Amino acid sequence: EPEHKIYNVCNGTSIDYQTLAEKIRSISNKDLEVEADTHGLNTEYSGNNSLLLKELLDYKFTSADEYIPRMYEWTLRNQHTIDPSQFQY
């Protein structure tokens, strides 16, 4: 039984939005200009996963360099199921 009801699921390593966008652009093999609009936001994508780690113990998270290409490929294969209106900007 989990100790808490809500957990922040992340690998605990921060990455700034510009770097994240550049990695995705590079994977896409498209010649696109990358501009990360962080107005009103923190400048990095990060999270505190300490509650989760207390319960998972020796769990090893996937690195951004490994999961970003996998997520990109999944998104390409599943575009037809993604409803952009469900995203909040």
Side-chain angles (χ1 to χ4, degrees):
E1 187 71 24
E3 186 177 331
H4 302 278
K5 290 185 179 187
I6 299 172
Y7 293 86
N8 192 357
V9 179
C10 60
N11 68 4
T13 303
S14 65
I15 184 170
D16 66 88
Y17 289 116
Q18 186 69 32
T19 300
L20 180 59
E22 289 288 349
K23 286 179 182 288
I24 295 167
R25 187 210 47 80
S26 176
I27 292 163
S28 76
N29 292 317
K30 296 180 180 178
D31 186 21
L32 302 170
E33 182 179 344
V34 172
E35 183 178 319
D37 181 5
T38 59
H39 180 74
L41 300 174
N42 194 348
T43 58
E44 64 184 33
Y45 178 72
S46 64
N48 182 338
N49 62 0
S50 59
L51 294 178
L52 184 65
L53 289 177
K54 285 180 187 175
E55 295 191 40
L56 293 179
L57 303 177
D58 290 329
Y59 187 82
K60 302 294 183 220
F61 288 93
T62 305
S63 72
D65 287 335
E66 187 177 342
Y67 74 71
I68 292 171
R70 289 167 55 185
M71 286 297 299
Y72 184 82
E73 291 300 321
W74 181 92
T75 302
L76 287 179
R77 288 191 314 274
N78 293 281
Q79 287 182 61
H80 64 284
T81 66
I82 300 169
D83 181 359
S85 71
Q86 297 300 309
F87 293 92
Q88 294 180 12
Y89 298 100

